[in-house]
Amino acid sequence: MPVISTILNINAELYNYLNDVNYGMSKPQFNHLSSIINGLINIKGNKTISKIAEGIVSAKDKSSIYKFLSRSKWDDSLLNRNRINYINYFIRNNISDNSVGFLVIDDTVNVKKSAKKMQGLSFNHSHAEGKRVWSHCVVTSNFVFNDLSIPLQFQPYYSKDVCTKLNKPFKSKVDIAKDFINDFNAPDNCDSIYCLIDSWYTSTPLIESCLKKGFHVIGALKSNRIINPFGFKAKLSQLANSIDPNTLDVVTVKGKSYRVYRYEGPVGSFENATVLICYEINGEDLESPVYFLSTDIELDTHKIIEYYSVRWED
């Protein structure tokens, strides 16, 4: 059995954290969970149960780990609640007064090209590949402040067909994201919270959920969204085609320069919001435009781009 360094054996802080959030798990269950976490952290390449069993000194054989995952009874929701409570305590005690915090909503896919019998698989859009792929999809939320990015929530997204097969109620990605927003307890000493989302999530129901919680939204927009420049309704793509980008002001954010058109006014069902049409400068050329919405109309153009870039860094 190959011997590798295991974080849980040498990092008392991480081990204590797992003990802090562990309620109701037996010692064997906790040992299996610890071995799995060790494997996910330490083993390079593909993470499989077999590799964890072979590569972690403290791990039992793979059949024992499979039994733990498939048959062992423990309250994962209780464990998750304890984890969230621990995170909330950590944030409250580490965020400075008048800080700006960012709630980042996103989703990711885990491609399973050859899997056929695995539960929960369906075709989901992959941003990386630019197409729908056979995969699992997970919606996630992170809270970012200062130089810290803290994972908050994660939940599998299942298509309607998969939900029917699994006898589960269907929830859209936006519905899952709204639950994350409603469940998030913003620290009292945080001056403002911005929810950062891509164009898939920038919708009236999600924005309204944020505003009810006192959060602003900075989200990407699709090119077919309607705005009202000069009193005339137009798609963002139509407006972008009518603009000469070379006449626009240049905004530089974190070493990247953009030519930016700024619009303030009605957007969809919202009476007033800010929309940016941004062309990244690439040498002598301009990249294709990207579009952003901010519900905070007092935020200047530089800050809108700077704040949204937190999502790209996350």
Side-chain angles (χ1 to χ4, degrees):
M1 179 180 294
V3 178
I4 65 174
S5 62
T6 54
I7 289 179
L8 289 181
N9 286 337
I10 63 176
N11 189 324
E13 185 177 0
L14 181 54
Y15 187 84
N16 290 337
Y17 162 74
L18 288 172
N19 271 315
D20 285 340
V21 300
N22 171 33
Y23 288 89
M25 296 186 74
S26 66
K27 186 174 180 179
Q29 289 174 329
F30 181 78
N31 288 337
H32 285 310
L33 181 64
S34 301
S35 296
I36 292 170
I37 292 174
N38 269 316
L40 293 175
I41 292 173
N42 288 289
I43 293 176
K44 296 180 180 180
N46 292 331
K47 322 283 186 176
T48 65
I49 299 301
S50 295
K51 286 188 176 181
I52 291 174
E54 294 171 358
I56 303 300
V57 174
S58 60
K60 301 292 183 182
D61 61 84
K62 65 179 181 181
S63 63
S64 296
I65 303 177
Y66 277 121
K67 289 177 182 178
F68 162 68
L69 292 173
S70 61
R71 303 179 190 175
S72 187
K73 294 182 179 180
W74 50 286
D75 193 341
D76 58 331
S77 61
L78 176 60
L79 185 66
N80 195 48
R81 287 198 301 272
N82 294 331
R83 182 184 65 85
I84 293 297
N85 289 335
Y86 183 97
I87 288 172
N88 289 336
Y89 173 82
F90 177 86
I91 293 173
R92 287 196 305 270
N93 286 275
N94 286 275
I95 193 167
S96 303
D97 290 339
N98 304 316
S99 292
V100 176
F102 303 96
L103 182 62
V104 183
I105 305 291
D106 207 349
D107 59 76
T108 185
V109 296
N110 186 4
V111 179
K112 301 289 184 181
K113 292 182 179 180
S114 59
K116 295 181 179 180
K117 296 183 179 180
M118 190 178 294
Q119 282 190 339
L121 288 167
S122 62
F123 283 101
N124 299 286
H125 181 76
S126 168
H127 299 287
E129 299 192 27
K131 62 181 181 179
R132 290 166 62 82
V133 294
W134 187 243
S135 59
H136 285 132
C137 181
V138 179
V139 182
T140 63
S141 66
N142 279 32
F143 184 65
V144 181
F145 65 97
N146 299 335
D147 58 347
L148 294 176
S149 179
I150 302 174
L152 292 177
Q153 296 277 28
F154 53 91
Q155 183 173 325
Y157 162 77
Y158 298 120
S159 67
K160 290 183 179 179
D161 289 342
V162 171
C163 285
T164 299
K165 292 178 182 177
L166 298 178
N167 196 27
K168 290 178 176 288
F170 172 73
K171 277 194 173 184
S172 69
K173 292 181 183 179
V174 170
D175 289 334
I176 294 171
K178 285 169 56 181
D179 288 342
F180 290 169
I181 292 164
N182 292 330
D183 291 342
F184 177 63
N185 294 315
D188 294 335
N189 51 344
C190 194
D191 185 58
S192 54
I193 301 287
Y194 290 88
C195 185
L196 309 180
I197 50 180
D198 70 14
S199 59
W200 186 272
Y201 296 93
T202 307
S203 62
T204 297
L206 189 142
I207 294 173
E208 288 178 342
S209 293
C210 287
L211 295 177
K212 287 178 182 178
K213 294 278 288 189
F215 308 157
H216 276 295
V217 171
I218 301 178
L221 288 173
K222 295 180 180 179
S223 62
N224 62 355
R225 294 298 288 268
I226 304 294
I227 58 175
N228 293 269
F230 315 111
F232 298 96
K233 289 186 178 181
K235 293 180 180 179
L236 282 171
S237 57
Q238 293 174 323
L239 180 58
N241 288 335
S242 70
I243 294 172
D244 180 358
N246 293 304
T247 66
L248 302 175
D249 292 335
V250 175
V251 178
T252 301
V253 179
K254 298 182 179 179
K256 292 185 177 181
S257 295
Y258 308 83
R259 289 195 177 272
V260 183
Y261 175 87
R262 181 180 177 118
Y263 161 87
E264 292 182 22
V267 181
S269 60
F270 294 95
E271 293 183 1
N272 206 18
T274 297
V275 172
L276 303 182
I277 302 177
C278 301
Y279 304 81
E280 184 178 342
I281 300 174
N282 184 5
E284 297 296 323
D285 300 319
L286 296 175
E287 300 288 348
S288 298
V290 291
Y291 313 96
F292 301 115
L293 173 143
S294 172
T295 58
D296 185 355
I297 61 174
E298 296 182 0
L299 209 59
D300 64 43
T301 298
H302 184 281
K303 281 294 184 185
I304 293 174
I305 300 173
E306 177 187 345
Y307 284 178
Y308 192 80
S309 70
V310 170
R311 183 179 175 277
W312 292 328
E313 296 169 357
D314 183 54

